[in-house]
Amino acid sequence: MTGPTAPREADAGCDAPLPPLSAVIARHDLQPRRALGQHFLLDPSLCGRIAREAQPGSPAVILEVGPGPGGLTRALLAEGAARIVAVEKDRRCVAALGELAARYPNRLEIVEGDALAFDIATLGCTRIGIVANLPYNVGTRLLLRWLERVERIESMTLMFQKEVAARITATGGRDYGGLSVRAQWLCTCERLFDVSPRAFVPPPGVVSTVIRLVPRATRLAPADPDALDAVTRAAFGQRRKMLRRALRGLTPDPQALLERAGISPEARAETLSVAEFCALARAWLALRKP
């Protein structure tokens, strides 16, 4: 089964058009593998829309994770990406992408390997744009790794399962949690658009959402990252309870902690802003000092 074919664009230095993706998939026997969480995005108009949102001509280098047969890769190149480093785990796809790299010399580099083991520091620059249709099973883990290196990143245009995207961008309510706080503390987070399962081969059982994260010049508020993680875990671990009860696992005197942070003891985790969680983290560290 194959999806729509990509436009028959040609590189400036080559007269022959690129073969359609359907031909590339057939030649390399690229039937998606469930074990790798593969759902290929082949719709050229949708790939082009994602590429335009990523503004690939701005960062010095684009990191693409899990490009598969290269539908989004083609779109990024067409939108002016000067250098793409594509990390792909599936050796079959690496071979197919190699053909595309040969057509775009010095613009596309293929790295065979696991994106979870790839250190973006090896790219050697601080203007990295990350663009990816992320595998559902590792998307959150990849985002957390990139947030640890956020000073090297210019922007991230990422596709997640809709429920995960909602958790990243939520500012309150039931979707709001530790992931929301961590991401929004370091980045502005914007939900762009949803993607129907029918856009993929094979169709997943869920709707996907494309979001954009842009690292802040300075963190939203001062906080120690480990302390921030500790207070968010405690608060959201018992999210239905008032904070005076939810924080008992963090400190023997939640009342004193909340008073120092200027937060009502009757508040619940899902009503606090990111700045208030930062204040709570600072207060917790201050009270722990001898």
Side-chain angles (χ1 to χ4, degrees):
M1 179 178 182
T2 59
T5 59
R8 295 175 63 84
E9 76 248 40
D11 183 56
C14 183
D15 294 331
L18 290 169
L21 280 176
S22 56
V24 174
I25 289 170
R27 185 165 63 253
H28 292 274
D29 189 26
L30 294 182
Q31 296 307 312
R33 291 179 176 172
R34 182 176 298 179
L36 295 175
Q38 289 176 328
H39 297 277
F40 293 152
L41 184 65
L42 306 178
D43 185 324
S45 61
L46 186 53
C47 289
R49 184 180 181 186
I50 296 170
R52 288 189 294 274
E53 291 285 2
Q55 299 179 335
S58 175
V61 59
I62 292 289
L63 173 65
E64 185 185 3
V65 171
L72 182 55
T73 315
R74 292 183 178 202
L76 290 167
L77 289 164
E79 289 296 324
R83 180 188 173 206
I84 301 175
V85 176
V87 180
E88 175 57 60
K89 191 174 183 179
D90 188 345
R91 184 163 295 179
R92 302 172 305 155
C93 293
V94 169
L97 291 164
E99 297 177 0
L100 185 59
R103 299 288 295 274
Y104 290 88
N106 303 316
R107 292 182 64 191
L108 175 59
E109 175 187 349
I110 313 301
V111 176
E112 181 179 352
D114 188 340
L116 285 168
F118 184 82
D119 186 352
I120 64 173
T122 62
L123 295 174
C125 68
T126 56
R127 290 181 51 240
I128 300 169
I130 302 178
V131 185
N133 166 25
L134 293 172
Y136 295 142
N137 56 347
V138 296
T140 300
R141 291 164 62 194
L142 283 168
L143 175 60
L144 289 172
R145 281 182 59 86
W146 293 330
L147 290 176
E148 292 175 356
R149 298 280 194 174
V150 73
E151 71 282 352
R152 293 182 173 272
I153 297 170
E154 182 171 311
S155 66
M156 293 181 275
T157 306
L158 308 172
M159 188 187 299
F160 291 92
Q161 183 176 334
K162 184 176 182 178
E163 289 75 9
V164 177
R167 287 168 50 206
I168 295 167
T169 57
T171 56
R174 65 180 185 179
D175 291 324
Y176 188 53
L179 181 61
S180 319
V181 173
R182 169 61 71 144
Q184 293 170 38
W185 178 50
L186 298 170
C187 304
T188 60
C189 305
E190 178 186 5
R191 180 174 171 171
L192 299 178
F193 55 88
D194 291 338
V195 180
S196 166
R198 295 189 299 273
F200 300 89
V201 177
V206 296
V207 174
S208 300
T209 300
V210 179
I211 66 174
R212 178 166 49 230
L213 299 93
V214 178
R216 300 179 185 275
T218 58
R219 293 172 179 178
L220 188 145
D224 175 84
D226 293 334
L228 186 60
D229 283 346
V231 298
T232 54
R233 279 198 307 270
F236 288 109
Q238 300 187 65
R239 64 188 302 138
R240 294 181 180 274
K241 294 184 177 180
M242 294 180 183
L243 289 173
R244 66 186 181 191
R245 294 183 178 274
L247 297 177
R248 284 179 178 175
L250 185 68
T251 175
D253 192 354
Q255 189 83 18
L257 172 61
L258 290 162
E259 287 179 1
R260 188 178 186 103
I263 296 170
S264 169
E266 285 74 38
R268 290 178 170 82
E270 62 186 27
T271 68
L272 264 60
S273 68
V274 175
E276 286 175 316
F277 272 112
C278 291
L280 196 58
R282 294 194 302 270
W284 181 61
L285 279 185
L287 289 173
R288 295 181 72 203
K289 290 181 180 179

